Amino acid sequence: ATRIQAAYRGHVARKDLANDAGATTDAAAAATPETSEDVAATKIQAMHRGNAVRKDLAKDAAAADTATEATEAAVGTSEDAAAAKIQAVYRGNAARKDVAKDAATANIVTAE
């Protein structure tokens, strides 16, 4: 008899629980009816938020591009300066070599 009573009480408890859950869902649905105006307002808000996010992303991308261009310009300037320094060192060495060669030629000519 105890076993039958336990099974019946479980059955009644599950039935009450299902009815309570259904009532809560019905109450929530009754509290927030979906009208066409609500749906339209939600759609407009979503479109506005999406446009705002895309606008912010475009602004961030433009700022990043400006920063990248400034960095590239600075690097380009330093690369140009480095190239000029290398060329100056090379030309200096070549000029000293020519002077030494001319001096050696002059010594040979004067020695004769």
Side-chain angles (χ1 to χ4, degrees), residues 34-102:
E34 289 283 329
T35 62
S36 62
E37 289 177 350
D38 291 338
V39 173
T42 303
K43 185 67 173 174
I44 291 169
Q45 289 171 350
M47 290 173 56
H48 175 72
R49 289 181 184 136
N51 286 334
V53 168
R54 284 188 291 280
K55 186 177 178 182
D56 288 344
L57 288 175
K59 189 186 307 181
D60 292 344
D65 287 344
T66 303
T68 302
E69 289 171 2
T71 303
E72 288 173 355
V75 169
T77 303
S78 64
E79 287 177 353
D80 291 342
K85 183 67 175 178
I86 291 169
Q87 290 171 352
V89 168
Y90 178 80
R91 288 182 184 138
N93 285 335
R96 285 188 292 280
K97 189 186 265 186
D98 286 344
V99 168
K101 184 178 176 184
D102 290 343

Side-chain angles (χ1 to χ4, degrees), residues 8-37:
Y8 179 74
R9 287 184 187 132
H11 168 73
V12 170
R14 285 188 295 276
K15 188 175 179 181
D16 289 342
L17 185 63
N19 286 337
D20 288 343
T24 304
T25 304
D26 292 339
T32 57
E34 289 283 329
T35 62
S36 62
E37 289 177 350

